[in-house]
Amino acid sequence: MAYVGGIYDELNDILVENDILPRISQRVRRNPVAPSVRHANSKQRGEAGDAGFDPEMLNMLGQMLSERRRAEDRIPWYARADSTPQLPQIPTSELLGALDEIQRYTLNTVPPDLASLRELQDELMQSLGRELDVGSPERPMKRLGEGDRSMLDVMELLFDFILGDENLPEPMKALLGRLQIPLLKVGLRDRRFFSDARHPARRLLNNLARAGLAWTDDGDRSVTSPYGRIESAVLRILSDFDDDIGIFEQVNEEFEGWLEREQKHARIAEQRLTQAREGQEQLHQARVRVAQEIRRLLDDCAPPECRVPEVVERLLTEGWRDVMLLALLREGEDGEQWRQAVELAGRLVWSVQPKHEPTERQRLLKAIPELLSGLREGLNNISFDPHKAGRLFKALQACHIAALRGNWISEEAGKPVAPPEDARKTTASNERSGDLVQTEPAPQDVMAEEPPSPPPDEFLRMAQALMPGVWLEWTDESGRELRGKLSWRSQLTGNCVFVDRRGMKLAELGCEELAAMLREGRARKLEDLNTPLMDRALNAMLEVLKRTEPVPPTH
């Protein structure tokens, strides 16, 4: 036995239900430092999770709500008989029977929006009073027990928080709001609903809300759509739940199975998208690096002392660049393949320069076979066009013959030309370098000149601080309301790729664009999504309880 106070609570409940000492306080004074109390509280917290109400807290909250309504002159029908305790008390079983009738009525009543749902809820509570025959405000005839009144108050407050949750889309709130009557019945039958995070009704509510958070209204309300799945679960509870709370577990198992499959497929699709975008960015960075290296080789060969024949330039920019790209992607700049590819490109440029000394000619003669072998092997590895390669190697052979004779090859006639007479001008080299850059165009979002950005403000800093996994809700240019998860962010541009609930690309937004949307109120970050809906609502209720002066016990 963890704490003997629980026995007194049960005895008080029995006395109240039998109209014996009905105004007795249902609280037992506890010593908060007693070992048994500490053990009981820690055990309860371990079983219930982070957010939970014990029976004493529920009663305190119910009394607090009752006092607040009296102060605001908003006394509901079930609290009008408080001043006449001699009236007969409505048994909980009779209240549950009346709620059964109300639940059957709601099965065929579908509120189109949240405002209609709130009107329906008010109407249902009035219908409940008529069903129980409690009388008029002037002449009350029956009264509810204190525990039942507290449960009605607390459940109403709970759904006020749920329907006010800013993370849920309005149509989803209208769907989940239809569960208020069934969950009220659950609370009356089993108060573990508030204290046990693993309670089947609570888990179902959390899973329905979890599926609704990622939902975007695309007009699909079919049975197999997310909206249809959530609606089917709600209708199943409304139609089948009588007194067996096990129906919540059955519905939750079916819904959770579907939700896990959906999320698994979404994770796979999102992972593929992320890998593809990362690969594209890595490829672009590698292409830029290869272009920079080839440009360096060409710029280092400056006329009149050095020149690069057209065939060599074509070999580098049309074929060997892909060899270098493949080596860079495979092993990176520290890899042996990249080092060898860059070195061979340098030897190719050196090999076509005029050799005037016998030692230089001898060195070139020894280097040509290995150079040609390396070129052929590299081009074969990238499946370079063999016919095109044959023509380039034939032209390269003429360049090597001219170099051995101490000359350059004439581009027009294919004849050797002495270096001083046919040296290219520096401007030609610059034009050639410019042509090389054009062969490797960078994406528009990287290289295009942009107008100067405005100084950063809180919204730009907010956009820059968004991390993958964050959910945003925004209105696009056509007026559609969208919800997406930030799946990937470019390290080069800062662009953000958002995915929908299926893991498919929904939008790609730049940092400045995101900041503008946040600044204009067209976008907002969805907060605290990792906390289940029921826990968020209970935490909010606990905050209300903490900010309110405790209600003194009545005697």
Side-chain angles (χ1 to χ4, degrees), residues 358-408:
T359 54
E360 290 182 333
R361 294 170 184 168
Q362 190 66 26
R363 180 185 170 195
L364 177 58
L365 284 172
K366 292 182 179 180
I368 285 176
E370 183 180 353
L371 174 66
L372 296 178
S373 175
L375 287 171
R376 287 193 176 94
E377 181 181 358
L379 295 176
N380 287 336
N381 287 338
I382 63 168
S383 300
F384 191 74
D385 184 356
H387 299 290
K388 187 175 182 180
R391 292 192 297 269
L392 290 173
F393 279 119
K394 185 176 180 180
L396 180 61
Q397 182 182 21
C399 292
H400 285 157
I401 293 173
L404 288 170
R405 294 174 178 173
N407 299 318
W408 281 311

Side-chain angles (χ1 to χ4, degrees), residues 62-287:
Q63 291 181 23
M64 179 199 74
L65 293 172
S66 178
E67 293 295 330
R68 178 178 294 178
R69 278 177 169 157
R70 287 192 183 92
E72 297 175 357
D73 197 22
R74 295 187 302 108
I75 302 176
W77 61 263
Y78 52 81
R80 291 170 186 158
D82 284 357
S83 58
T84 52
Q86 69 276 10
L87 290 176
Q89 179 175 306
I90 300 172
T92 301
S93 58
E94 185 177 340
L95 173 59
L96 288 169
L99 288 172
D100 287 339
E101 293 297 324
I102 298 296
Q103 180 177 309
R104 279 189 283 272
Y105 171 76
T106 61
L107 179 62
N108 300 316
T109 306
V110 183
D113 51 40
L114 189 57
S116 301
L117 173 68
R118 292 187 182 277
E119 293 178 3
L120 176 63
Q121 288 174 331
D122 292 339
E123 180 185 336
L124 292 178
M125 294 308 295
Q126 296 301 322
S127 299
L128 181 61
R130 291 191 294 270
E131 189 76 23
L132 293 171
D133 195 21
V134 296
S136 64
E138 296 78 16
R139 298 185 60 184
M141 300 173 60
K142 297 179 183 178
R143 64 182 180 86
L144 290 177
E146 184 176 349
D148 292 347
R149 291 201 309 272
S150 294
M151 182 56 64
L152 263 68
D153 278 331
V154 171
M155 192 62 71
E156 182 178 350
L157 180 61
L158 173 67
F159 269 83
D160 280 345
F161 281 114
I162 290 176
L163 299 183
D165 191 289
E166 294 185 351
N167 290 336
L168 279 173
E170 296 294 300
M172 288 297 158
K173 293 179 184 179
L175 270 182
L176 298 183
R178 300 178 67 185
L179 291 175
Q180 181 169 349
I181 297 299
L183 291 181
L184 174 57
K185 290 165 56 180
V186 170
L188 290 168
R189 293 181 181 278
D190 184 5
R191 295 199 176 192
R192 289 186 307 111
F193 172 73
F194 288 95
S195 61
D196 186 0
R198 296 167 298 179
H199 193 283
R202 184 163 165 175
R203 289 177 58 199
L204 175 61
L205 179 63
N206 286 335
N207 281 328
L208 294 175
R210 184 156 59 103
L213 289 173
W215 179 77
T216 297
D217 193 355
D218 56 0
D220 185 5
R221 303 290 176 94
S222 63
V223 178
T224 57
S225 69
Y227 184 94
R229 296 280 186 174
I230 296 173
E231 185 180 42
S232 296
V234 171
L235 293 177
R236 175 92 180 274
I237 295 299
L238 289 173
S239 63
D240 294 356
F241 175 51
D242 184 12
D243 56 2
D244 182 11
I245 297 178
I247 186 64
F248 284 90
E249 190 160 2
Q250 296 175 20
V251 175
N252 182 63
E253 286 180 359
E254 296 172 5
F255 186 82
E256 196 171 42
W258 168 81
L259 183 58
E260 288 178 355
R261 290 191 299 272
E262 286 283 298
Q263 292 181 336
K264 179 181 178 180
H265 295 156
R267 284 193 299 270
I268 294 173
E270 183 181 354
Q271 185 179 20
R272 289 173 178 169
L273 173 65
T274 301
Q275 290 175 345
R277 293 308 300 264
E278 288 177 349
Q280 291 172 3
E281 186 154 299
Q282 183 182 8
L283 178 61
H284 167 66
Q285 290 176 307
R287 282 176 171 166

Side-chain angles (χ1 to χ4, degrees), residues 428-447:
S429 177
N430 292 338
E431 290 174 359
R432 181 173 59 249
S433 299
D435 293 340
L436 173 64
V437 176
Q438 293 176 4
T439 62
E440 290 293 345
Q444 184 177 358
D445 58 353
V446 177
M447 300 299 293

